Amino acid sequence: MKLLMGPTSPFARKVAAVIHELQLADRIEQRIVTTTPLKSDPGVVAANPLGKIPSLIREDGCTLYDSRVICRYLDSLVGGTLYPKARQWETLTLEATGDAIMDAGVSMIYELRMRPDDKQWDGWMDAQWAKITAAMDALEGRWMSHLAGPLDIGQISVACALSYIEFRHGHREWRAARPQLATWLDVFCKRESMQKTRPE
């Protein structure tokens, strides 16, 4: 199998972290591609009509895309435990929360990098950051016990999301108001899967 991914995409990092956690690195070639919303890589478009990464090219089936689909498929290959039935709705909601933080964070970068300076909209940036801060407040206030529990996909998604915010939006200093979440992230990022997938 081949995973088409970008070096700084938080969604691709999420899949790469799952690959390491499930010990699938020797079965999946991870191929770095360069693609943007305005200019999709032809190889990515050939695999995924939306031209998005990550995309997982399989030899015995259709290409899978969207990190949630890919991660669930990979977990199923090895009978993994990243989607525990005992708390599946909580886990899936936590994954969706992490993914939503990624969506908003990436959208802010696109606004800065894809639009000319005179067309950038501060209101859009503020709205996306408001979504991120509301999600982080919810994590701090309601999700710490789950984050501290057995490893699941929700934790991986949230860790990749928060790490991306620090990587791209670190000047906004989210940590001071959320000390439990900040401490949790520091500990979680010591995992080998997070160390090996850290963007340069």
Side-chain angles (χ1 to χ4, degrees):
M1 292 182 285
K2 296 178 183 177
L3 178 68
L4 304 182
M5 59 186 295
T8 60
S9 163
F11 297 101
R13 185 185 187 189
K14 174 184 160 187
V15 174
V18 165
I19 288 172
H20 283 287
E21 290 288 353
L22 299 178
Q23 300 182 352
L24 288 169
D26 60 341
R27 296 174 57 181
I28 301 171
E29 175 190 347
Q30 297 182 41
R31 181 176 296 177
I32 301 295
V33 297
T34 301
T35 190
T36 74
L38 300 181
K39 187 177 181 182
S40 296
D41 179 276
V44 176
V45 174
N48 174 358
L50 299 174
K52 291 186 173 184
I53 53 172
S55 295
L56 182 68
I57 302 173
R58 300 182 297 162
E59 296 176 358
D60 58 350
C62 67
T63 295
L64 303 180
Y65 42 88
D66 189 286
S67 66
R68 278 179 267 197
V69 175
I70 297 171
C71 290
R72 191 135 197 181
Y73 170 73
L74 295 176
D75 193 63
S76 74
L77 286 182
V78 297
T81 60
L82 295 180
Y83 298 85
K85 288 185 178 180
R87 59 184 196 281
Q88 66 175 332
W89 301 118
E90 291 81 2
T91 297
L92 293 174
T93 300
L94 192 58
E95 180 187 20
T97 301
D99 285 7
I101 292 172
M102 293 183 215
D103 273 329
V106 169
S107 179
M108 292 171 71
I109 290 299
Y110 285 164
E111 184 72 14
L112 292 172
R113 294 188 174 183
M114 298 290 108
R115 287 182 180 271
D117 290 346
D118 63 334
K119 303 220 181 273
Q120 292 176 12
W121 185 12
D122 290 341
W124 175 262
M125 297 284 285
D126 292 342
Q128 300 312 303
W129 185 247
K131 293 177 183 180
I132 292 169
T133 57
M136 291 191 292
D137 287 343
L139 292 171
E140 175 84 7
R142 300 197 297 268
W143 287 96
M144 293 311 304
S145 62
H146 188 120
L147 289 172
L151 179 69
D152 63 27
I153 192 63
Q155 296 168 357
I156 295 171
S157 177
V158 167
C160 290
L162 296 177
S163 296
Y164 182 78
I165 296 305
E166 293 208 317
F167 178 61
R168 292 298 195 199
H169 306 288
H171 64 285
R172 292 182 178 263
E173 299 181 354
W174 63 270
R175 285 174 165 262
R178 303 165 191 92
Q180 295 181 89
L181 191 59
T183 298
W184 173 83
L185 179 64
D186 289 341
V187 173
F188 194 89
C189 283
K190 293 178 182 178
R191 298 183 71 89
E192 184 178 3
S193 62
M194 296 299 288
Q195 291 292 315
K196 287 189 173 181
T197 60
R198 185 170 53 190
E200 296 297 332

